[in-house]
Amino acid sequence: MQGVGVPAAVAPPTTAPRRGRRAQTRSRQQSSPAGRIGLGIAVAALLLFTLLPAYWMISTAFDKNAAFRGADLVPSGWTLDNFDKVFSDDTFGLYLRNSLLVAGVTVIAGAMVTLLAAVAVARFQFKFRTAVIVMILIVQMVPLEALVIPLFIQVRQYGALNSLLALSVVYIAFSLPFGIWMLRGFVAAIPKEIEEAAYVDGAGWWRMFFSVLLPLVAPGLVATSVFSFITAWNEFIFALTFMQDDEKYTVTVGLQKFFGQNTAEWGPIMAASTVISVPVIVFFTIAQRRISSGLTAGGVKG
C-alpha cells in the first residue's frame, strides 16, 4: 500500500510552478528600473496623445492670431475676441438651446424606455426572448451612416422632418441597444428575493419598480444616460440631414457658419468648440462616480 501511495503523494503539480515562475518574472520586469521607465514613457505618450488635441482647441480659442497660427504650441497672444464673436451671433444661442432640448429629451425619455426594456428581457420569460437579445446586439453593430437614408425616408413619410422631437426619437433608438444590454446585466444581478420580499409586504409591481428596482439600478441608469447625452450632443449627420431650417439646427451643425467657401475662421470655430465641450465635461464629471460603479456592477452578471 505504501509503495502505491508515496509516488502519488510526492508527485509535483505540473502547472502551478510554471504559473509561479511567470508571475515572479512579470513582477521582476515591472519592478525593475527599466520597466518603470518604460511604463512612465508609455503613460506620458498616452497622455500627450489624448490631451494635445484638447489643448490645441482651447489655446487656439484664446489665440489673438489664431488665423495665422502654425505649428507653435504657445499662442502669440491671448484674447477673448473669438468668444465675443461667437456669442455676438444670435443663432449660436439658438443652436445651444436646440441641442439642450434634444439631449434632454433623449436622456429622460431614453432612460425610462431603456430601463423598462432591460427589466423585461432580464426578468420576464417570453417567446423568442433569446432572439430579441441577439437582435439588440446586431443592431448595436450597424454603423449610423448606413441608416441615414432609410431613417430619412421613414421620418419624411411621417411628416416629422425638421422636428427636434423626431431627432430625439432617432437618438433614443440608437442609444437603446447599448443601454438595454448594460442594464440587463445590472437588473439580473439583483437578487429576486428582494422583489419577493416587497411583494410579501404588499407592494404592487409598480411600487416595487419605483421603490426597490429603480434605486438599485440607479448607477447603471446614470451610466447609460451619460452615453445617451454624449450621443445626442455630439451627433452631426442626422441633425444635418433631418433639420432643414436654420433655426432648427443643433450646435454641431451650426459650427458650419464659421466655415467659408475657401476660408475658415479658426479662432471662432475653436471658441465655439470649447463652449460646446463644457456641458459634456460638466455632465461627465458630475456622474463619473456613478458611471464607474454602474459599469463594473453591470458586468458582474449578464
Side-chain angles (χ1 to χ4, degrees), residues 139-187:
V139 170
Q140 182 67 38
M141 298 173 187
V142 178
L144 296 179
E145 293 77 8
L147 300 176
V148 172
I149 300 302
L151 280 174
F152 176 81
I153 295 173
Q154 279 190 321
V155 173
R156 185 180 61 182
Q157 287 177 343
Y158 287 110
L161 283 178
N162 216 26
S163 167
L164 295 175
L165 181 60
L167 189 62
S168 300
V169 172
V170 172
Y171 292 155
I172 290 172
F174 276 104
S175 60
L176 270 179
F178 171 79
I180 292 174
W181 186 251
M182 202 185 87
L183 277 183
R184 169 183 168 270
F186 204 90
V187 174

Side-chain angles (χ1 to χ4, degrees), residues 15 54 76 83 89 94 116 148 150 157 161 166 181 183 199 216 219 227 248 250 258 262 272 277 284 287:
T15 56
S76 57
F83 290 91
D89 189 343
L94 187 62
L116 291 174
V148 172
Q157 287 177 343
L161 283 178
W181 186 251
L183 277 183
Y199 290 134
L216 291 175
F227 172 78
K248 293 293 183 66
T250 57
F258 299 107
N262 299 313
S277 303
F284 188 85

Side-chain angles (χ1 to χ4, degrees), residues 56-248:
W56 197 272
M57 177 186 70
I58 297 173
S59 61
T60 306
F62 289 97
D63 193 347
K64 185 169 59 178
N65 299 310
F68 306 101
R69 185 174 180 178
D72 298 334
L73 286 176
V74 181
S76 57
W78 299 91
T79 182
L80 293 175
D81 291 345
N82 295 322
F83 290 91
D84 183 60
K85 187 171 184 178
V86 169
F87 285 106
S88 62
D89 189 343
D90 295 336
T91 55
F92 186 74
L94 187 62
Y95 300 152
L96 276 177
R97 190 205 65 175
N98 291 341
S99 289
L100 285 173
L101 284 174
V102 171
V105 172
T106 302
V107 169
I108 296 173
M112 291 189 293
V113 176
T114 301
L115 181 55
L116 291 174
V119 172
V121 296
R123 281 289 189 259
F124 297 99
Q125 299 294 329
F126 52 89
K127 201 172 183 180
F128 305 120
R129 176 172 171 269
T130 304
V132 169
I133 296 173
V134 172
M135 287 182 64
I136 290 172
L137 276 180
I138 293 175
V139 170
Q140 182 67 38
M141 298 173 187
V142 178
L144 296 179
E145 293 77 8
L147 300 176
V148 172
I149 300 302
L151 280 174
F152 176 81
I153 295 173
Q154 279 190 321
V155 173
R156 185 180 61 182
Q157 287 177 343
Y158 287 110
L161 283 178
N162 216 26
S163 167
L164 295 175
L165 181 60
L167 189 62
S168 300
V169 172
V170 172
Y171 292 155
I172 290 172
F174 276 104
S175 60
L176 270 179
F178 171 79
I180 292 174
W181 186 251
M182 202 185 87
L183 277 183
R184 169 183 168 270
F186 204 90
V187 174
I190 299 174
K192 291 185 178 179
E193 289 76 8
I194 297 178
E195 303 171 25
E196 293 169 356
Y199 290 134
V200 171
D201 291 340
W205 194 90
W206 285 108
R207 185 176 177 185
M208 186 279 301
F209 178 81
F210 286 108
S211 301
V212 178
L213 268 183
L214 188 58
L216 291 175
V217 301
L221 200 58
V222 172
T224 57
S225 297
V226 170
F227 172 78
S228 301
F229 181 83
I230 294 175
T231 299
W233 187 264
N234 294 334
E235 203 282 328
F236 174 78
I237 295 179
F238 285 100
L240 178 64
T241 306
F242 293 172
M243 300 296 108
Q244 299 175 337
D245 293 339
D246 185 69
E247 65 269 17
K248 293 293 183 66

Side-chain angles (χ1 to χ4, degrees), residues 9 14 16 33 40 69 107 137 160 166 256-257 259 265 273 282 290 296 302:
T14 56
R69 185 174 180 178
V107 169
L137 276 180
Q256 295 181 107
K257 294 187 63 174
F259 288 91
E265 300 179 83
S273 301
V282 171
R290 293 279 188 174
T296 53

